[in-house]
Amino acid sequence: KQEVTQIPAALSVPEGENLVLNCSFTDSAIYNLQWFRQDPGKGLTSLLLIQSSQREQTSGRLNASLDKSSGRSTLYIAASQPGDSATYLCAVGRSQGNLIFGKGTKLSVKP
Amino acid sequence: DAGVIQSPRHEVTEMGQEVTLRCKPISGHNSLFWYRQTMMRGLELLIYFNNNVPIDDSGMPEDRFSAKMPNASFSTLKIQPSEPRDSAVYFCASSEPSGLYNEQFFGPGTRLTVL
């Protein structure tokens, strides 16, 4: 059974810092991996999707990497801003299409 | 482009009442997913459809829950009778025909409170 773990559960950093959020999964037979952002009381916003054949994806200040063999993905946020404060969710996609989510990392960026 | 649309956004009901949640996927998407989010369990898949056909409903908690997708642009999730432990945020998501991407797009969710 696929399990997705995100560490740490919460993270507080000063504005301007570069930071890394971690995601690990137990079964390397994945179809893709998706990172989401969730603001309090809101839905999920897709940030990046990495196909199983890819090693990384970049969008603006965000970079996500994938190492299937070790069951790990990281989300790198450069030059963090207070507006980046949110919960970041990692989700592993199966070939059938459904996602298995981690519990998320709650990020707080202090001005 | 309109994203995934869910209604209602908030629902407060009493135990034993029937609750119906609605979802309109993004036009052209042929896969639709219902998820539930709670503090204790996080986000969990309840059921998903492909081309209006239920593919996996193993996440549906019990017979009180049912879901339908009568056409490509509409789906419902029904709880009858509702119980306080059903209180959660229910999300609907959709994705394009399976192929290279399978990226899922989520609606704003329905916050359900069962008293």
Side-chain angles (χ1 to χ4, degrees), chain A residues 33-89:
Chain A
L33 188 143
Q34 203 166 344
W35 282 93
F36 294 88
R37 167 186 174 138
Q38 185 174 29
D39 292 284
K42 305 289 187 182
L44 279 69
T45 301
S46 179
L47 297 174
L48 290 165
L49 179 143
I50 311 177
Q51 296 298 324
S52 62
S53 58
Q54 297 175 321
R55 295 301 298 266
E56 66 177 344
Q57 281 287 339
T58 298
S59 176
R61 294 183 294 107
L62 305 179
N63 176 278
S65 68
L66 174 63
D67 184 342
K68 274 193 355 176
S69 61
S70 67
R72 292 181 184 176
S73 176
T74 61
L75 179 67
Y76 174 82
I77 303 176
S80 58
Q81 303 171 358
D84 296 330
S85 298
T87 296
Y88 290 80
L89 294 157

Side-chain angles (χ1 to χ4, degrees), chain B residues 79-113:
Chain B
I79 308 172
Q80 166 64 16
S82 58
E83 297 182 2
R85 61 193 167 122
D86 302 331
S87 297
V89 181
Y90 291 80
F91 288 103
C92 176
S94 69
S95 67
E96 292 183 276
S98 56
L100 186 62
Y101 294 111
N102 270 8
E103 185 174 8
Q104 291 190 22
F105 296 88
F106 280 68
T110 295
R111 182 173 297 276
L112 173 65
T113 303

